[in-house]
Structures are given as C-alpha cells and as structure tokens.
Amino acid sequence: MVTIAAPRLVGRLRAERETRENGEDGENGEPRGDLFDADCPTRLLLDRIGDKWTVLVVLLLSDGPMRFTELRTHLGRVAPKVLTQSLRRMERDGLLTRQVFAEVPPRVEYTLTGLGHSLAEPIAVIGDWAEVNMPRFTAARQAYDAAHNTAHDTAYDTAHPVVAGQ
C-alpha cells in the first residue's frame, strides 16, 4: 500500500477525533480508513459523497422519507434513470433504505439510515459554504477566462448562467 502524509488539517481533525473517542477504532472495532492510502476503500466512499445527486438526496431526506417523484421534483433536471441508479447505489452503500408498500399503484419511499443521517450535517455545511461562496467562485472563473482569453461553454455554464451583479 502507498500512503502519503495527510495534510495538516486532516491530521488535526484525526487527532481531535481520537481524543474525543480515546483512540478507539471505527464502529464495530474495525480499523479506520485512510484517505491518503491509494488502496483504501475510503476513496470509494468519497466518490459516493462527491456525487451531486447523493449530496442533494441526503439533504432532502434529512427531513424525512420521500417518494421517488417528490425527490425528482425537488431535484429538477435529473433523468429518472439517473436518479434510480443513484438511489440504488446509495441503498447498496447503506445511506438509505427503500420501502415498497403493497398498494395500487405501488408506493415506494426512501429514508435515510443512521449512516445517511450522520452524513447530512457535513453535507449541509459544505452546501452552505457553496451557496455563500458562489459569487466568488463565479468571479474567479470569469477572471480566469478573461485573463486566458478562454470561454467555457460547458453544460454547467449553460445550465447555470451567471447572473449580473453576483
């Protein structure tokens, strides 16, 4: 396994956590992961968390169970197939449960698990940071494009036009 030293911030957070938990291993006595070990499955978890639909679904479900159509309505601009795939991956990863009710028409609800709820607060903090810093992010992109004489017409830029005065 190849492991590099963790950045100071990560090291500080690990030390604080170990102090709080008296150096205990992860849940069920299993060893903790290491982000900076290229072979550690922690990176798979980061991939899941980094998926934009996972972030938004966790935040939506943090208020309670929702049906597929409710989720899709709140998310907007997500194809049913893509949302279904994301929900299945999240269920497989233990972030949510899917409950099918024997009704006509069938009713399906999605609910966060304890693991999913434990992810909601960190995601909410990152989401808040993103909302607060969006004007600075947009200004930095515009300044970069102007300085480098480039104009990026990505799907994101098209779907999220810059609003004057931001």
Side-chain angles (χ1 to χ4, degrees):
M1 285 193 234
V2 176
T3 303
I4 62 170
R8 285 187 302 267
L9 174 61
V10 173
R12 182 177 58 81
L13 291 172
R14 285 177 180 167
E16 289 173 4
R17 179 187 63 221
E18 288 173 7
T19 299
R20 279 192 316 269
E21 299 172 2
N22 298 321
E24 296 172 10
D25 285 333
E27 282 196 28
N28 302 323
E30 297 171 0
R32 296 180 186 278
D34 182 351
L35 295 175
F36 296 96
D37 177 347
D39 297 322
C40 182
T42 302
R43 292 188 178 192
L44 296 173
L45 183 56
L46 288 178
D47 285 345
R48 174 67 53 243
I49 296 166
D51 174 55
K52 73 177 176 180
W53 301 120
T54 297
V55 167
L56 297 173
V57 167
V58 166
L59 290 175
L60 287 170
L61 292 179
S62 68
D63 284 337
M66 293 182 88
R67 296 175 70 174
F68 182 89
T69 42
E70 291 176 286
L71 285 167
R72 188 158 178 251
T73 299
H74 286 290
L75 293 170
R77 296 184 190 209
V78 58
K81 180 181 177 182
V82 171
L83 180 56
T84 297
Q85 290 170 342
S86 291
L87 292 168
R88 284 184 183 153
R89 285 191 298 266
M90 292 174 69
E91 182 180 14
R92 179 176 183 237
D93 294 337
L95 297 174
L96 59 79
T97 58
R98 177 180 184 267
Q99 184 174 6
V100 180
F101 295 90
E103 300 175 355
V104 178
R107 179 170 56 105
V108 177
E109 284 187 348
Y110 296 90
T111 307
L112 286 182
T113 61
L115 184 61
H117 276 289
S118 73
L119 181 57
E121 187 173 339
I123 286 179
V125 170
I126 292 170
D128 182 61
W129 178 90
E131 290 175 347
V132 167
N133 288 287
M134 189 60 188
R136 292 171 59 197
F137 172 84
T138 302
R141 289 177 65 141
Q142 290 173 336
Y144 179 92
D145 290 345
H148 293 84
N149 198 23
T150 60
H152 296 279
D153 187 18
T154 65
Y156 178 87
D157 293 332
T158 303
H160 301 88
V162 176
V163 178
Q166 279 193 349

